[in-house]
Amino acid sequence: MQEPFLDAVLASSRAFFHLPTEAKQEYSNVVDAGDGDGRKFQPEGYGVDRVDTDDQVLDWCDRLYLLVRPEEERQPRFWPAHPPDLRGLLHEFSVESEKVARLVLAAMARSLGFEDGFFADKVGERMPSYARFTYYPPCPRPDLVHGLKPHTDNSVVTVLLLDERVGGLQVFLEDDGGGGGWVDVPVLGGGRHQVLVVVGDEMEIMSNAAFRAPVHRVVAPGEAEERVSLAVFYQPEPHRVLEPSPELVGEERPAMYKRLEAKAFADGFWDAFALGERTIDFLKVKVDVATDQPAAAAAVSGA
């Protein structure tokens, strides 16, 4: 992806979030419930992430969240008409970023000694992709809020286009003692763009933790700054079974996660995210080796 194209993507993203509130609300993610119970949150559209309680800690950001692929499942009513180039730029970015995602999936497979299609075959030819534009407005007290709370991604991999001017993305790095700390992802500067590929929860499960989804967050910008990013999340086809790949399970490395449908995992993400929890933990997907796999645990203990 060339710099002028990425410049255009971020410029169009900023232009949307700079529109008057009433113009953005035409694409609101709070819609008529259709059952006489008023209005309800649903993931697609413009707004903030789901708020369940008055005690919930809110993030200092707005977002526009859209199903991008498969194309025939898009909901055009949530795709902004202004700025007029945003739809086309998102479509082109999704095509190019899927190429990146599939190249990375092939490289991850090779790194474990498998053929290029090892992971791609498990997610399917029509893997859904969702785009999240996130806007972080200037914040007078960034020390008191999260730009975006700590989380892991609901994806196999995520292709993330960062703001080329303002940083804020941080990754939590654990140390050997079980602690750790937050590390800044630096801004390259000089107008250069960063496209990062982030491992998501679904890959952690499929690889039986050979690849781990990093916990990351975004720090709110300062009072004189604003920040924008675009993430595209690639997920397994909804009907696929999500489980540790049998080729990566054995006596010395028992299955670390339970088996469930990809759709069930994706649906659980929103409940988990609202609570500030990992979906893997919220859905209790992790296996307790000591109780669930005693034979495997004994094999590991005797190794």
Side-chain angles (χ1 to χ4, degrees):
M1 289 181 272
Q2 299 297 313
E3 296 283 348
F5 170 66
L6 298 178
D7 277 336
V9 171
L10 291 177
S12 188
S13 304
R14 288 191 182 91
F16 169 76
F17 287 110
H18 288 169
L19 290 174
T21 299
E22 58 270 22
K24 292 180 288 190
Q25 287 293 347
E26 293 180 19
Y27 312 100
S28 175
N29 57 10
V30 179
V31 299
D32 191 332
D35 55 7
D37 288 336
R39 296 170 68 76
K40 66 175 183 178
F41 168 90
Q42 54 79 57
E44 287 198 68
Y46 164 78
V48 297
D49 291 306
R50 197 178 83 193
V51 178
D52 289 346
T53 70
D54 292 338
D55 297 328
Q56 185 172 327
V57 177
L58 305 182
D59 296 319
W60 190 268
C61 65
D62 291 342
R63 51 74 138 182
L64 174 66
Y65 188 83
L66 302 169
L67 169 66
V68 181
R69 297 170 78 87
E71 291 183 39
E72 66 273 13
E73 296 181 15
R74 292 177 180 175
Q75 297 196 62
R77 66 189 176 121
F78 294 119
W79 285 59
H82 299 285
D85 61 351
L86 184 61
R87 294 183 179 187
L89 287 168
L90 175 56
H91 173 79
E92 186 176 349
F93 185 84
S94 72
V95 171
E96 295 304 314
S97 64
E98 182 168 339
K99 295 176 184 176
V100 173
R102 291 193 178 276
L103 284 171
V104 171
L105 289 179
M108 295 172 84
R110 289 196 302 272
S111 74
L112 297 177
F114 300 114
E115 297 293 326
D116 284 8
F118 181 75
F119 289 120
D121 291 344
K122 296 179 187 303
V123 301
E125 283 297 317
R126 290 167 52 81
M127 62 179 179
S129 60
Y130 293 85
R132 179 185 171 116
F133 298 86
T134 309
Y135 174 70
Y136 305 88
C139 180
R141 290 297 305 274
D143 55 313
L144 297 180
V145 299
H146 287 302
L148 191 61
K149 67 177 71 69
H151 65 284
T152 51
D153 285 350
N154 175 29
S155 67
V156 178
V157 292
T158 303
V159 179
L160 173 61
L161 174 61
L162 296 176
D163 194 300
E164 79 279 22
R165 299 177 297 190
V166 179
L169 178 63
Q170 295 182 330
V171 177
F172 188 81
L173 294 184
E174 296 183 8
D175 58 31
D176 294 337
W182 293 100
V183 177
D184 291 323
V185 175
V187 177
L188 292 178
R192 293 177 296 170
H193 292 283
Q194 293 166 279
V195 177
L196 302 182
V197 178
V198 182
V199 173
D201 285 337
E202 285 94 325
M203 175 56 77
E204 181 171 324
I205 294 170
M206 289 194 305
S207 71
N208 202 27
F211 300 106
R212 293 183 180 269
V215 176
H216 52 287
R217 69 180 184 183
V218 178
V219 177
E223 193 167 11
E225 298 177 314
E226 64 175 11
R227 183 178 184 274
V228 68
S229 63
L230 170 57
V232 182
F233 306 95
Y234 291 93
Q235 301 175 356
E237 294 171 335
H239 64 277
R240 297 274 174 163
V241 173
L242 192 59
E243 63 180 338
S245 302
E247 298 89 343
L248 294 169
V249 175
E251 286 190 351
E252 294 186 0
R253 190 178 183 84
M256 299 175 64
Y257 307 93
K258 300 175 184 177
R259 193 172 187 267
L260 76 166
E261 193 175 66
K263 184 180 186 304
F265 189 89
D267 290 345
F269 169 77
W270 296 106
D271 293 328
F273 187 75
L275 294 172
E277 295 185 23
R278 285 193 71 183
T279 313
I280 284 175
D281 298 330
F282 178 78
L283 294 179
K284 296 180 171 58
V285 179
K286 279 190 176 180
V287 170
D288 184 343
V289 176
T291 59
D292 294 352
Q293 298 190 89
V300 174
S301 299

